[in-house]
Amino acid sequence: MKFSFLSLNKQLSIPTNKNLVAPNWHIAWGKIDQIKADISWSDRHFLIHQVQPIFSSNERFVVVGDICLTNLPQLQKLLDISTSLTVTQIVAELWQSYGKKTFLLLEGIFALAVWDREEKELWIGRDRVGGRTLYYTTTDSTIWISPRLKILSSYHSNELDLIALRDYLCCAFVPGERTLWQEVKELRPGSFIHFTNDLKIPSPMSYWQPQAQVKDADQALEYHGQKLRSLLDKIIPEYLPNNQPVGAYLSGGLDSSCIVALAAKNHDYPVHTYSIHFGAELPNELEFSSLVAEHCQTQHHILEITPDDMWNKLPITMANLDDPIGDPLTVPNYLLGNLAAENVGVILNGEGGDPCFGGPKNKPMLLNNIYGGLQSGKPDIVSSYLSSFHKCFADLSKLLKPEIWQAIKTESYIFESDLNSDADYLKRLMLLNIKFKGADHILTKVNNMTRAASLIGLSPLFDQRIVELSLEIPSEYKLSGADEKAVLKRAVADLLPERILTRPKSGMMVPVNFWFKQIWQRRTRNLLLSKNAAIAPYFNQDLIKDWLNYRGDTWKRYGIKLWLLVSLEIWLQVNQK
């Protein structure tokens, strides 16, 4: 059982110049009479740009989308059809037989649209975990829909959504259905929208949401580890391309190491691994990544990333993102993708281990829940959670201009309902990380940065079956005291060196604090303190000046805050019309 890579490549428009943002399909629904240019196919109220549609066998249903499925054999058996159909044709046949229930039948990653030529109705839907994105906006009486936010730039204004801006400053990504553009929404994972003849945007409907439902709580860690391993042994081969090498990003941490080990165990073709460092004088994890590469006998590649690489490649990186992401690893992801594209067409990663199995990044959130409210005497679970990101939550009232702060300071946060649920706190954190950080940060970053390098990027630990199983495992087998991801360690204990299983995982830290102080200070001043800066209408530049002078922050997290603002400024510059 393999991914249908050939079909996926037919759906994507692969750029020949890797410094250009890849074009992609988009569709219009509603009033389309005045639209004349670049139409691939049209019907009453509906048209398609930049991709040819696929029709069901009765020609009633028209399907377009980015679709990559893991359960093709089961679907072919269900339909009693041959293997010669592409993945999009299979979806068209499923829709012909099952209608909207098709969403429940699909396993994998997808963003798709289905046009019903008979009823003149449109359906759009997105996979369960958010491996693909789908955006929509309205211009007069026309709805525009695309998997790329940038493709919709001609159909909306440059007005920013101030709540989305606030959330970006708190999290380094924009969570939920909002985007940084006021007039554009993102369809949430596990959801669909059904457009009917009244030409209005109905509310999205959910067909799947992650839920924490512990099973076999009385069973020992060994039982849950074996159950996870059995699923990994089933899933990883599905992610390996037929008759060609595969790549994998390798940090030397548990998550990426277990993916490399499982790929090497199950693949008969070369496995290429890719690691980064930031110069011999700075801390790195090459000792561990090289150990895993040697242990798994991969073809290992190491890339040094300089401060000039980071600064100079930030514009192309931001141009290839949809919403801005203020994670310093975006640029290394872009650069590493371009290196990997020299050897492979498919690249795997270990993303998903932390949110699914209780990684160390949950610790500050747990600590903030315990201690965050002590100073005021009244714990605030939302404030504690937002503080744990260590971004700009505590600075909002000073960083934002007074009129901006007044406009949003009483607006609620999208995390509130999950944080105030009855589940234990670690379960709440995991659900939040899967629903928001996973879909809106991790997976969209992986998807966009690998697509920019003409690669197919895949995240096996974010497979919906892994996510569902992780939510059945008792919390004490995930993060318990100092023991992180115990169940994942048990699952792959026979595949990795003991040093990898027992090492503390610090994460790959990009030395932005050092570089802002030693190398980037003048460039940053010119960028952020200019009266013509794109962020100038929103931010207090005096506070930014304090940060550039390394004062005003008790915890001295100047580098990560400045990178957040630099990324936003560059994103606005390359995305505004």
Side-chain angles (χ1 to χ4, degrees):
M1 189 159 49
K2 304 283 186 180
F3 274 112
S4 180
F5 294 108
L6 180 60
S7 300
L8 180 65
N9 280 328
K10 287 182 178 179
Q11 292 299 319
L12 293 177
S13 178
I14 302 299
T16 55
N17 182 347
K18 292 180 182 177
N19 287 326
L20 296 176
V21 178
N24 218 317
W25 60 269
H26 57 295
I27 59 179
W29 175 82
K31 186 178 180 180
I32 63 171
D33 300 347
Q34 304 303 313
I35 303 171
K36 305 298 182 184
D38 301 323
I39 298 174
S40 301
W41 186 87
S42 66
D43 196 3
R44 183 171 176 264
H45 294 323
F46 179 73
L47 62 81
I48 301 171
H49 286 283
Q50 296 194 15
V51 69
Q52 290 300 318
I54 297 297
F55 295 84
S56 61
S57 56
N58 66 1
E59 298 192 348
R60 174 177 170 178
F61 300 104
V62 180
V63 180
V64 294
D66 300 334
I67 308 168
C68 196
L69 304 179
T70 57
N71 64 332
L72 285 179
Q74 294 97 315
L75 297 177
Q76 290 162 349
K77 184 176 180 180
L78 181 66
L79 293 169
D80 192 23
I81 58 176
S82 69
T83 59
S84 61
L85 296 183
T86 69
V87 65
T88 310
Q89 289 172 322
I90 289 174
V91 171
E93 293 307 303
L94 286 168
W95 201 272
Q96 179 175 304
S97 298
Y98 298 97
K100 66 180 182 181
K101 292 181 181 178
T102 299
F103 290 125
L104 296 172
L105 298 173
L106 304 180
E107 293 184 0
I109 52 179
F110 59 84
L112 61 82
V114 181
W115 172 247
D116 185 337
R117 300 175 71 189
E118 185 175 304
E119 297 292 333
K120 305 303 179 187
E121 295 179 348
L122 174 66
W123 303 74
I124 64 172
R126 189 176 173 198
D127 66 82
R128 290 165 171 82
V129 296
R132 292 292 182 264
T133 48
L134 205 53
Y135 302 93
Y136 56 97
T137 190
T138 305
T139 304
D140 298 324
S141 298
T142 307
I143 312 299
W144 294 93
I145 301 162
S146 176
R148 291 302 312 274
L149 186 56
K150 192 178 185 75
I151 298 298
L152 301 179
S153 61
S154 300
Y155 312 117
H156 64 79
S157 73
N158 277 340
E159 293 295 319
L160 297 192
D161 184 313
L162 297 182
I163 296 175
L165 176 64
R166 175 204 66 182
D167 292 350
Y168 168 81
L169 295 171
C170 295
C171 308
F173 61 92
V174 179
E177 70 170 4
R178 295 180 184 275
T179 71
L180 207 59
W181 301 124
Q182 190 177 102
E183 298 168 4
V184 187
K185 300 296 183 186
E186 178 184 359
L187 182 63
R188 299 307 299 149
S191 300
F192 66 85
I193 299 178
H194 178 204
F195 299 87
T196 56
N197 287 323
D198 59 7
L199 301 184
K200 296 179 181 178
I201 300 182
S203 298
M205 298 185 67
S206 173
Y207 68 89
W208 183 89
Q209 287 295 318
Q211 295 181 345
Q213 296 179 328
V214 173
K215 295 182 179 179
D216 302 314
D218 57 335
Q219 294 287 347
L221 174 62
E222 184 68 30
Y223 168 86
H224 292 283
Q226 289 177 352
K227 193 173 181 180
L228 174 58
R229 174 59 177 275
S230 296
L231 186 57
L232 287 168
D233 282 336
K234 177 178 183 289
I235 285 175
I236 296 301
E238 299 172 6
Y239 282 75
L240 302 174
N242 285 314
N243 306 321
Q244 58 181 292
V246 68
Y249 295 144
L250 177 59
S251 69
L254 176 66
D255 305 336
S256 64
S257 297
C258 80
I259 293 300
V260 168
L262 287 161
K265 174 177 177 284
N266 288 283
H267 205 40
D268 294 330
Y269 291 81
V271 176
H272 292 262
T273 48
Y274 301 88
S275 300
I276 58 172
H277 71 105
F278 301 102
E281 73 282 3
L282 294 170
N284 62 68
E285 297 186 305
L286 295 182
E287 171 189 359
F288 301 104
S289 59
S290 297
L291 173 63
V292 174
E294 182 178 358
H295 180 80
C296 297
Q297 297 185 313
T298 68
Q299 297 185 27
H300 195 46
H301 311 263
I302 297 173
L303 177 66
E304 178 179 350
I305 296 176
T306 69
D308 281 346
D309 292 332
M310 286 286 292
W311 189 272
N312 295 335
K313 293 300 182 182
L314 185 57
I316 185 62
T317 300
M318 290 296 114
N320 277 288
L321 286 173
D322 290 307
D323 266 326
I325 294 176
D327 177 357
L329 281 172
T330 50
V331 176
N333 287 161
Y334 173 78
L335 294 171
L336 208 54
N338 279 277
L339 175 62
E342 297 175 5
N343 309 111
V344 299
V346 177
I347 189 83
L348 309 180
N349 63 74
E351 301 285 13
D354 281 348
C356 288
F357 299 108
K361 293 175 184 176
N362 291 287
K363 285 183 178 179
M365 299 180 186
L366 291 167
L367 291 172
N368 268 281
N369 184 51
I370 298 171
Y371 299 112
L374 293 183
Q375 187 174 5
S376 64
K378 185 180 180 181
D380 177 348
I381 195 170
V382 177
S383 296
S384 296
Y385 176 73
L386 292 167
S387 297
S388 70
F389 280 95
H390 297 154
K391 300 301 187 294
C392 297
F393 172 69
D395 306 297
L396 291 176
S397 62
K398 296 177 291 183
L399 178 60
L400 294 170
K401 287 194 170 181
E403 63 273 21
I404 305 295
W405 175 239
Q406 286 298 318
I408 55 90
K409 70 177 184 178
T410 60
E411 296 288 340
S412 61
Y413 286 87
I414 195 170
F415 311 114
E416 289 185 10
S417 61
D418 289 280
L419 283 169
N420 288 301
S421 75
D422 295 330
D424 75 58
Y425 193 60
L426 182 59
K427 288 190 179 74
R428 282 179 268 172
L429 289 180
M430 290 181 57
L431 286 170
L432 282 170
N433 289 338
I434 291 167
K435 289 168 61 174
F436 298 111
K437 188 169 185 179
D440 300 318
H441 175 187
I442 296 171
L443 290 175
T444 191
K445 180 183 70 171
V446 166
N447 187 27
N448 283 272
M449 292 301 95
T450 52
R451 177 168 48 195
S454 302
L455 285 171
I456 299 171
L458 301 172
S459 308
L461 294 180
F462 255 126
D463 184 287
Q464 69 186 61
R465 293 161 291 179
I466 296 289
V467 171
E468 289 170 340
L469 178 61
S470 75
L471 294 171
E472 297 175 0
I473 298 171
S475 295
E476 60 266 27
Y477 297 146
K478 297 170 187 172
L479 180 61
S480 179
D483 193 13
E484 303 154 1
K485 294 185 263 194
V487 67
L488 183 58
K489 291 175 182 176
R490 183 61 58 95
V492 297
D494 62 314
L495 296 176
L496 293 171
E498 183 68 18
R499 288 179 64 201
I500 300 300
L501 296 168
T502 57
R503 64 164 294 212
K505 173 62 174 155
S506 59
M508 176 57 71
M509 302 299 294
V510 185
V512 290
N513 209 52
F514 176 75
W515 286 340
F516 273 113
K517 194 169 188 177
Q518 301 295 326
I519 300 170
W520 293 340
Q521 194 169 89
R522 178 175 294 181
R523 298 182 217 181
T524 309
R525 286 181 184 277
N526 293 337
L527 184 72
L528 299 183
L529 300 184
S530 166
K531 65 179 181 180
N532 296 320
I535 63 170
Y538 307 96
F539 295 155
N540 172 13
Q541 291 180 315
D542 287 338
L543 182 62
I544 299 173
K545 191 181 300 182
D546 284 342
W547 290 352
L548 280 164
N549 291 324
Y550 279 64
R551 61 172 182 255
D553 181 354
T554 304
W555 300 102
K556 301 187 183 299
R557 297 191 180 103
Y558 302 101
I560 196 65
K561 293 180 180 182
L562 290 170
W563 182 264
L564 196 73
L565 299 184
V566 166
S567 297
L568 176 63
E569 173 66 23
I570 295 295
W571 186 90
L572 288 169
Q573 289 185 15
V574 298
N575 283 283
Q576 284 181 328
K577 290 175 286 189

